[in-house]
């Protein structure tokens, strides 16, 4: 395992590694497609650059945006990307992923209104208008990763063993742990619809009904072993998303839109190999009965048949915008965010990060080619550092994607798009270097609020003292 993967001195060095690995990643240095407007249903955004949802875990304890939340969104508004995909926001308190996640309830509405306003104002001040900007909010229920208590859709032989009921005591979900009931899920559909109405009321352009990263709605998509109306057949597993989208369509209406960030491939759970330090799949049996978008005979491979059928169904319910993602940040983090250095308590990457980038691009291409008039947002760009924009340009020209977005790359460098517009290139000293500090902060819980805020430590001084505090506490606890 090399100490460092990203050692490229030039784009040609990177091209050589891509050729050596035999993956389909191409680069175009003459930028043009990234500046072109993109149609999203009845709206058009001003360029093809976007910002992925990036939770800052910096809300107040009652789920309102906090000072660092306002700061981040303002920087995104100022940044020049024309699609701002707002972060994970719970629709009910028991579905919160952490004690400082945002919560879209009635009491917090004025604060969300202020958040949208600050973001739009920052954009207007720099670019003169926000009529070609779309801002969305990701609506979520964290399911088995809910911090108050796991809420699981089905028992998963490998994932249950890493789903903590009491982390301090090392207690995980076992076979006796109850599943969320059908009645609960039915009521939850309405909570999503109420949240969508609230989002429309305070000025968001769209909501994302989140179906990625193994949170509840994503878990339901793979609930083959669940009994009752939300499990088993494809029709049952997609009942919840169908019902939510149908209700939003009839009760909220255009031009407000419902979109979805979805996993087209969940993969299988990985664990740390104590000998190599890298991740390895937790042993599993085939045919594989769990997760979504997996080949049941070889779940280390994708099978996009069901994700494509799901997107076709969502198209029929008025969805014009999807954001393609893969994997679980909890048990196979290298899939979703190819990284250079492992997060705390994680594992070193078991594959060259370029393979992860290529997996994202290939899956996204398949979706985009199947639905040429759907606005498809691509993921997996940040590890490419300053070259990500050339990869995005090439993917846009090749019609493998409609909008090129970054997550970690945006908290490191919120005005990346402004630089691309003004200078035709990214500043290498501002790009994300994928060394997992943001994830480390996100996983750090031992302060008085039960959660540290997350941000980019190497590129944003606001997070340096916060990180120092985390490291000091870990040292005192005997952790490295
Ligand atoms: C600190 C942190 C917060 C994140 N928050 C969210 C989130 O709220 N919603 C979501 O769908 N993905 C979230 N992600 C995943 C990113 O949006 C993105 O998919 C991932 O980082 C890979 O894209 P990148 O290579 O451009 O970073 C988060 C990732 C990190 C590291």
């Amino acid at each position: 395992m090399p100490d460092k993967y990203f050692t490229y001195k030039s784009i040609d060095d990177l091209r050589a590694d891509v050729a050596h690995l035999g993956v389909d990643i191409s680069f175009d240095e003459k930028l043009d497609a990234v500046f072109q407007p993109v149609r999203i249903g009845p709206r058009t955004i001003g360029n093809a650059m976007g910002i992925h949802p990036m939770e800052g875990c910096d809300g107040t304890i009652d789920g309102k945006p906090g000072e660092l939340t306002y700061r981040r969104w303002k920087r995104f508004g100022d940044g020049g990307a024309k699609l701002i995909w707002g972060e994970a926001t719970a629709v009910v308190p028991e579905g919160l992923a952490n004690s400082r996640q945002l919560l879209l309830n009635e009491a917090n509405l004025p604060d969300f209104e202020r958040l949208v306003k600050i973001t739009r104002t920052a954009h207007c001040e720099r670019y003169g208008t926000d009529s070609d900007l779309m801002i969305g909010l990701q609506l979520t229920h964290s399911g088995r990763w809910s911090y108050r208590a796991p809420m699981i859709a089905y028992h998963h032989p490998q994932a249950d063993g890493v789903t903590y009921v009491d982390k301090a005591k090392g207690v995980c979900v076992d076979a006796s742990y109850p599943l969320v009931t059908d009645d609960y899920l039915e009521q939850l559909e309405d909570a999503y619809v109420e949240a969508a109405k609230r989002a429309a009321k305070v000025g968001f352009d769209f909501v994302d009904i989140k179906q990625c990263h193994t949170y509840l709605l994503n878990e339901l998509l793979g609930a083959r072993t669940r009994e009752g109306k939300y499990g088993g057949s494809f029709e049952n597993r997609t009942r919840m998303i169908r019902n939510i989208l149908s209700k939003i369509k009839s009760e909220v209406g255009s031009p407000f839109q419902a979109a979805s960030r979805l996993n087209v491939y969940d993969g299988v759970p990985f664990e740390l190999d104590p000998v190599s330090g890298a991740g390895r799949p937790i042993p599993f049996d085939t045919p594989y009965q769990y997760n979504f978008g997996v080949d049941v005979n070889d779940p280390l491979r994708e099978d996009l048949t069901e994700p494509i059928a799901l997107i076709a169904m969502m198209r029929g319910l008025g969805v014009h915008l999807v954001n393609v993602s893969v994997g679980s940040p909890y048990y196979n983090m290298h899939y979703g965010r190819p990284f250079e250095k492992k997060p705390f308590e994680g594992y070193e990457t078991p594959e060259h990060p370029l393979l992860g980038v290529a997996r994202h691009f290939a899956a996204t291409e398949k979706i985009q080619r199947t639905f040429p008039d759907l606005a498809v947002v691509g993921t997996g760009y940040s590890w490419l550092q300053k070259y990500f924009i050339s990869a995005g340009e090439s993917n846009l020209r090749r019609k493998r994607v409609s909008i090129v977005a970054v997550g970690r790359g945006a908290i490191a460098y919120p005005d990346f798009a402004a630089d691309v517009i003004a200078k035709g290139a990214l500043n290498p000293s501002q790009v994300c270097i994928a060394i997992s500090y943001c994830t480390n902060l996100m996983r750090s819980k031992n302060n008085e609020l039960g959660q540290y805020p997350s941000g980019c430590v190497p590129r944003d001084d606001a997070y340096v003292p916060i990180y120092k505090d985390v490291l000091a506490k870990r040292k005192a606890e005997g952790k490295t």
Side-chain angles (χ1 to χ4, degrees), residues 124-138:
C124 287
E125 279 173 1
R126 189 152 175 196
Y127 307 99
T129 180
D130 65 346
S131 64
D132 60 351
L133 167 74
M134 280 179 74
I135 307 178
L137 189 67
Q138 182 175 68

Side-chain angles (χ1 to χ4, degrees), residues 52-55 87-88 138 210 212-213 261 325 336-337 379-383 405-408 438-439 442 454:
H52 282 308
M54 286 299 289
E55 215 188 314
E87 67 207 61
Q138 182 175 68
K210 182 177 193 174
C212 61
H213 306 160
R261 189 170 209 209
S325 195
R337 44 180 157 84
T379 304
Y381 288 88
S382 291
W383 185 82
V406 280
R408 292 166 296 173
C438 53
T439 306
M442 195 172 200
S454 173

Side-chain angles (χ1 to χ4, degrees), residues 221-455:
L221 296 175
R224 291 182 199 80
T225 58
R226 183 183 170 94
E227 290 175 356
K229 66 179 183 177
Y230 292 101
S233 67
F234 178 73
E235 201 203 335
N236 283 354
R237 286 182 275 127
T238 54
R239 184 180 304 282
M240 181 135 183
I241 183 69
R242 215 170 38 247
N243 288 349
I244 293 171
L245 291 173
S246 307
K247 288 183 203 171
I248 293 177
K249 193 173 179 211
S250 64
E251 294 179 32
V252 191
S254 184
F256 184 78
Q257 298 190 30
S260 188
R261 189 170 209 209
L262 79 158
N263 261 17
V264 297
Y265 175 60
D266 292 345
V268 300
F270 276 57
E271 63 185 358
L272 173 76
D273 176 346
V275 178
S276 70
R280 65 179 179 201
I282 302 175
F284 54 81
D285 295 327
T286 53
Y288 197 66
Q289 293 302 308
Y290 316 99
N291 289 6
F292 189 59
V294 293
D295 178 338
V296 296
N297 297 312
D298 179 5
L300 294 175
R301 290 175 184 278
E302 307 87 320
D303 178 348
L304 300 188
T305 314
E306 287 199 343
I308 286 172
L310 169 63
I311 295 171
M313 182 270 278
M314 296 197 297
R315 293 284 286 147
L317 293 170
V319 169
H320 305 290
L321 176 66
V322 301
N323 185 327
V324 174
S325 195
V326 297
S328 171
Y330 300 91
Y331 61 57
N332 56 27
M333 56 283 257
H334 64 290
Y335 281 134
R337 44 180 157 84
F339 56 83
E340 199 60 23
K341 196 171 155 190
K342 76 175 187 68
F344 294 155
E345 279 94 47
Y347 53 68
E348 296 297 349
T349 181
E351 64 182 10
H352 194 300
L354 277 173
L355 298 180
V357 174
R359 185 181 296 108
H360 271 284
F361 288 3
T364 307
E365 173 177 27
K366 190 146 190 196
I367 303 301
Q368 183 71 84
R369 295 258 157 91
T370 310
F371 303 99
D373 60 345
L374 176 69
V376 177
V377 184
T379 304
Y381 288 88
S382 291
W383 185 82
L384 295 170
Q385 299 197 13
K386 70 171 175 173
Y387 305 114
F388 92 73
I389 201 70
S390 304
E393 172 72 24
S394 178
N395 284 344
L396 289 165
R397 285 185 191 220
R398 292 174 58 197
K399 304 205 178 309
R400 304 177 88 191
V401 73
S402 313
I403 296 157
V404 173
V406 280
R408 292 166 296 173
I411 55 167
Y413 190 179
D415 50 0
F416 74 89
D419 271 4
V420 170
I421 295 164
K423 302 174 193 157
L426 293 167
N427 180 347
S429 64
Q430 284 181 263
V431 294
C432 167
I433 48 174
I435 57 172
S436 298
Y437 284 24
C438 53
T439 306
N440 290 342
L441 284 172
M442 195 172 200
R443 299 281 172 257
S444 299
K445 316 277 178 189
N446 53 346
N447 67 1
E448 64 289 354
L449 296 174
Q451 178 64 54
Y452 278 90
S454 173

